[in-house]
Amino acid sequence: MRSLIQHLMLGTMIGMMGLASAAVPDAQSSVAQAAEPVWHNCLTREVWSPEKQAWCQQTEVLKNLTYTLPQFGTATLSNGTYQNPDTELTVTLLNRPYTIGFGELAGGTQAAAVILVANSGGTGNFVHLAVVLDQGPGFIPVSATMLGDRVNIESVQWRNGQIQVDLISHGPNDGACCPTQPLRQIYRLEGDTLTLVAETDRSTAQAIPALY
């Protein structure tokens, strides 16, 4: 009897182990899919992986560059922020999950895409996409374009040499404070100009005409 019970228990355990091992590939696949886009919290104190260390070092450089924004002029950031008390202009580099993207142009040049938010003292927060190129000795900002006033950025990432921005923008009936329309915009760097080449309404998955 004891031998029979032990045999049944062993069979049950082997069966459970088989089920667990069968689930591993799916779990690994889910993790791999969730790994894009990439973002790291550079304030944590654990032992960093080489990938995180490189990402945080590059991000630190991006937080201390001089950017030129349409309608606002140049802004030299210090630790991610620029403030001009005379004009009340504040520019902030957005550093939260998935708002900084590293990649490369179609020709192979290493590049970064960042989100900058400009406020000149009023209620508007004007959100910009900026591209920075790795020109050998360091990163150099080359172009920026406005995405809108008080739009919400969900992710920024490079795909096939272009920049994909997922954001919540304003629908036809939205107030300036409260955008609700999910869009996916694709930008391409042409010379020193960021060009919007495609825009899709993510709520319907239909392409819509470029607005600017």
Side-chain angles (χ1 to χ4, degrees):
M1 178 64 70
R2 177 177 297 178
S3 176
L4 176 60
I5 293 174
Q6 289 176 339
H7 179 75
L8 291 173
M9 291 178 63
L10 180 60
T12 301
M13 291 174 64
I14 292 174
M16 294 176 66
M17 290 172 63
L19 290 173
S21 62
V24 168
D26 292 339
Q28 290 176 338
S29 175
S30 299
V31 170
Q33 292 176 3
E36 292 190 40
V38 175
W39 183 83
H40 294 286
N41 184 350
C42 300
L43 300 179
T44 58
R45 301 180 64 182
E46 85 283 4
V47 176
W48 291 0
S49 67
E51 293 78 11
K52 179 173 180 177
Q53 184 172 5
W55 192 96
C56 290
Q57 288 175 343
Q58 292 176 320
T59 298
E60 193 64 26
V61 173
L62 299 176
K63 292 164 58 181
N64 293 277
L65 296 177
T66 297
Y67 297 87
T68 300
L69 303 182
Q71 304 179 26
F72 293 97
T74 60
T76 300
L77 304 188
S78 176
N79 195 30
T81 302
Y82 166 83
Q83 291 183 315
N84 187 328
D86 296 329
T87 62
E88 297 186 339
L89 175 63
T90 299
V91 178
T92 304
L93 187 147
L94 201 60
N95 184 9
R96 66 187 190 196
Y98 316 132
T99 56
I100 298 174
F102 293 98
E104 61 181 33
L105 302 181
T109 301
Q110 297 298 305
V114 301
I115 298 296
L116 300 167
V117 182
N119 179 284
S120 56
T123 58
N125 287 310
F126 299 96
V127 181
H128 298 75
L129 172 67
V131 172
V132 183
L133 300 185
D134 186 352
Q135 301 285 25
F139 284 110
I140 300 178
V142 294
S143 185
T145 187
M146 187 183 298
L147 302 179
D149 174 19
R150 284 169 280 183
V151 297
N152 295 324
I153 304 299
E154 294 186 325
S155 68
V156 175
Q157 56 187 313
W158 290 83
R159 291 190 179 278
N160 301 318
Q162 302 181 122
I163 306 167
Q164 174 182 297
V165 182
D166 285 354
L167 70 159
I168 306 297
S169 189
H170 296 85
N173 300 316
D174 292 342
C177 69
C178 311
T180 63
Q181 184 174 21
L183 298 179
R184 171 166 292 168
Q185 298 179 339
I186 306 296
Y187 289 86
R188 180 170 60 233
L189 184 65
E190 299 177 343
D192 59 356
T193 302
L194 269 173
T195 301
L196 177 64
V197 296
E199 186 173 56
T200 303
D201 184 342
R202 288 185 290 135
S203 64
T204 62
Q206 293 182 350
I208 59 179
L211 302 178
Y212 49 88

